[in-house]
Amino acid sequence: MGNNWLLSRRRIFKLGLGALTGIGAVVAAKNIYWSQQIQALDNPNRTFIASGKVSLKERAAAKGLIYGTAVRYPDLSLDVKLAASVALECGMLVPEWELKWFAGKQPLRPSPDSFDFQMGDWMVNYAKTHDLLFRGHTLVWHESLPPWFRNTVNRQNAREFLAQHIKTVMQHYAGKIHSWDVVNEAINLGDNRSDGLRTTPWLKLLGTDYIDLAFRLAAESDPQTLLVYNDFGLDYDTPQDEAKRIAVLKLLEKLKSKGTPIHALGIQAHLLPGKNKFNQEKLRRFLRDVASLGLKIMITEMDVADKDLPVDIKIRDRIIAGVYEDYLSAALDEKAVIAVITWGLSDRNSWLSEFQPRDDHAPVRPLPLDAQMQRKLVWNAIARAFDHAPKR
Ligand code: G3I
C-alpha cells in the first residue's frame, strides 16, 4: 500500500482527534455554563429566618390556609417519628397511593368487580383520629390503572366502569373528604391535539366528554366535597409551561361554560430548579385568571427536586428553600389559593428518591423535614411564606 494511503489514514486520525477535542471543549463549556447557572441560583445572603417554632399547620391556619402532606400507608402506619411529625406539622393528609385504582401493595381495585377499601379506610380513620382534613387522590387518571383494565374495559362498558368507580369510592367516603382530585393530568400538548387533551385510555374509550362526565358523577356521589382538576407543568416561564397554562385555562373555561360542577384547580408544583426560569408575575397572572373563573386553587403536590444541584448540602438546601419561598410568596398572594400540600413531609419518604435520584447517589433533600424528621431551611421557607401571606 502506497504512502498516500498512509497519509489519508493519518489525516483521518488527526481529523477524528480534532473533532473529539472540539466536542470535548463544547461539553466542557456547557458544563461550566450550567455550573455557573446553578451557582447563580444560590444566594448566601438569604438566611430564611422564621419567627418562633409554631408549626406549619398553625401558621397556615392563622391565615385561613391549610398545610398538608401526602403519605403512604406503609410509612404512616410503621414510622412513629413520621406519624408524630405529621400530627405536629399538618392539617391535612392525602394518600400517595391508597385511593388510586392500582398502587402499592394492597390496591383499591384488585379485580374488575371488587374494591379493597382496607388501606383507604385506615388512612381516613387515622386522619379523623388525629383531627386532620383528608383529600382523595385520584379518581380518573391514565396512570396506576390495574393490570386487568386494558383487557376488560372497552367502549361499550367504559361509562359503566367509570360511574361505578366514582360512585362506589366517593359514596364509601362521603362526608369525610375535604376535596377530591376527580380528574388528574388530562392535558398533554405532546399528544398534538388541538384541544391539548392527553390521549388517555378514558379519552379513547369515552371521547372528550369524559372529563365533564366524571365531575357530574362525582357531584352526584358526594355533594359535600370540593371537586378538583389536578395537573402539573404550570409553574415556569418556559414555552412549554406557558402553553400548558393556556391549555388548562381553556379547559377550565370550557367546563365552566358547560356548567360542569368543578370547584378548584390543583397545581401539583413539582419544581425542578436549574434549567427552568421562574417568573413570579407570570404565575400570579395565571392564578388570577383561574380565580376569575370562580375557582379555588390548591397547591397539591409541592416538592423541589435537587437532582441538578451541587452535592454540598448547605448550598442545596439554600437553593431549594429559595425556590419554595419565591414560589409560595407569589402563589399565596392570590387569595383563591386555599391550601399547600407537599408531596411528602420528610426526605425519608420522597418519591424523588426512586423516580428522580441524583447522579451522585446522594440522598435527595426536597421536603420540609430531613430524614431524621428535623426541620430544614425548606421548613423555614414555607413558614415564612405562610407568615407573610395575606389572611383569607
Ligand atoms: O412497592 C409496591 C409493590 O410492592 C407492588 O407490588 C406494586 C404494585 O403496584 O406497587 C409498588 O409500589 C409502587 C411505588 O411507586 C413504589 O415503586 C406503586 O405501585 C406506584 O404507584 C408508586 O408510584 C407512584 C406514582 O405516583 C404512580 O402511582 C409514586 O409513589 C407517587 O409519588 C406518584 O405520585 C404522582 C401523583 O399521583 C400524580 N402527580 C405526579 C406524582 C409523581 O409522579
Side-chain angles (χ1 to χ4, degrees):
M1 278 184 209
N3 287 338
N4 289 344
W5 179 81
L6 197 58
L7 273 176
S8 65
R9 291 278 291 172
R10 195 170 288 148
R11 190 171 295 126
I12 289 168
F13 176 74
K14 281 182 179 170
L15 279 173
L17 200 61
L20 281 174
T21 312
I23 291 167
V26 167
V27 170
K30 204 171 166 193
N31 288 342
I32 291 167
Y33 169 76
W34 280 126
S35 150
Q36 287 164 346
Q37 285 286 95
I38 296 287
Q39 295 296 349
L41 289 171
D42 182 27
N43 176 353
N45 300 321
R46 286 186 82 165
T47 54
F48 300 100
I49 293 170
S51 62
K53 298 197 176 308
V54 170
S55 70
L56 296 179
K57 164 169 64 178
E58 291 164 283
R59 291 174 197 255
K63 299 300 178 70
L65 284 158
I66 301 163
Y67 169 70
T69 184
V71 283
R72 306 158 183 170
Y73 167 76
D75 299 332
L76 191 60
S77 59
L78 298 174
D79 185 338
V80 288
K81 284 190 78 176
L82 173 68
S85 297
V86 165
L88 170 67
E89 301 285 4
C90 301
M92 182 186 278
L93 293 186
V94 56
E96 192 169 343
W97 298 346
E98 290 72 16
L99 290 183
K100 292 171 177 174
W101 280 59
F102 199 92
K105 293 190 184 333
Q106 196 170 331
L108 177 64
R109 297 301 309 272
S111 70
D113 54 4
S114 68
F115 294 78
D116 182 344
F117 287 113
Q118 196 179 350
M119 296 293 103
D121 287 357
W122 188 94
M123 302 277 279
V124 169
N125 293 336
Y126 179 93
K128 188 168 185 301
T129 309
H130 293 83
D131 196 23
L132 293 163
L133 295 169
F134 196 89
R135 71 183 317 264
H137 174 82
T138 176
L139 295 164
V140 182
W141 192 25
H142 60 284
E143 288 193 26
S144 294
L145 288 171
W148 52 261
F149 188 92
R150 179 189 295 269
N151 300 327
T152 309
V153 184
N154 55 47
R155 281 205 173 82
Q156 288 68 45
N157 65 20
R159 185 189 177 96
E160 181 194 342
F161 268 96
L162 181 72
Q164 182 199 37
H165 184 82
I166 291 175
K167 287 180 177 175
T168 307
V169 175
M170 289 189 74
Q171 286 169 359
H172 184 83
Y173 295 115
K176 300 175 181 174
I177 309 292
H178 167 272
S179 49
W180 266 104
D181 289 334
V182 176
V183 175
N184 191 40
E185 302 176 8
I187 295 287
N188 179 30
L189 300 178
D191 286 349
N192 296 316
R193 287 178 52 95
S194 58
D195 56 13
L197 289 180
R198 184 186 298 273
T199 49
T200 74
W202 295 109
L203 180 80
K204 291 174 192 163
L205 291 165
L206 291 168
T208 57
D209 284 345
Y210 84 92
I211 300 172
D212 174 72
L213 173 62
F215 277 94
R216 291 181 189 279
L217 290 165
E220 288 164 21
S221 305
D222 182 359
Q224 297 179 60
T225 182
L226 274 177
L227 303 180
V228 183
Y229 171 72
N230 193 47
D231 214 332
F232 68 92
L234 302 168
D235 316 294
Y236 283 110
D237 182 12
T238 61
Q240 299 85 344
D241 283 18
E242 182 61 23
K244 187 156 186 180
R245 286 191 288 267
I246 291 167
V248 166
L249 210 50
K250 279 189 180 144
L251 171 65
L252 296 175
E253 285 164 350
K254 184 176 171 194
L255 292 172
K256 289 295 285 183
S257 68
K258 289 168 74 163
T260 304
I262 178 172
H263 308 130
L265 169 66
I267 298 177
Q268 294 182 12
H270 289 296
L271 304 179
L272 175 63
K275 299 184 173 72
N276 297 309
K277 236 175 75 196
F278 176 64
N279 179 312
Q280 286 191 324
E281 279 323 302
K282 291 204 172 178
L283 181 65
R284 282 194 175 90
R285 186 184 320 132
F286 174 61
L287 300 180
R288 236 185 350 259
D289 291 344
V290 173
S292 70
L293 296 174
L295 294 171
K296 294 295 183 191
I297 299 163
M298 299 179 75
I299 308 299
T300 51
E301 306 183 15
M302 190 167 190
D303 52 23
V304 179
D306 63 1
K307 70 182 183 69
D308 295 334
L309 299 185
V311 67
D312 180 308
I313 285 179
K314 276 195 182 319
I315 296 175
R316 219 181 332 155
D317 281 4
R318 212 168 32 222
I319 292 174
I320 296 267
V323 172
Y324 271 95
E325 187 164 358
D326 293 347
Y327 189 97
L328 289 177
S329 62
L332 296 178
D333 275 351
E334 172 52 65
K335 291 190 175 181
V337 175
I338 60 172
V340 175
I341 313 288
T342 50
W343 207 239
L345 180 62
S346 158
D347 297 337
R348 186 184 292 186
N349 316 108
S350 172
W351 70 291
L352 294 170
S353 303
E354 178 184 352
F355 288 82
Q356 291 189 34
R358 289 175 55 88
D359 293 341
D360 58 16
H361 308 299
V364 296
R365 294 174 64 87
L367 293 167
L369 306 185
D370 67 17
Q372 286 67 47
M373 300 302 152
Q374 297 306 306
R375 291 171 171 176
K376 295 159 53 192
L377 285 185
V378 167
W379 184 95
N380 291 48
I382 298 174
R384 289 161 54 91
F386 286 145
D387 291 350
H388 300 143
K391 194 171 173 52
R392 269 71 181 145

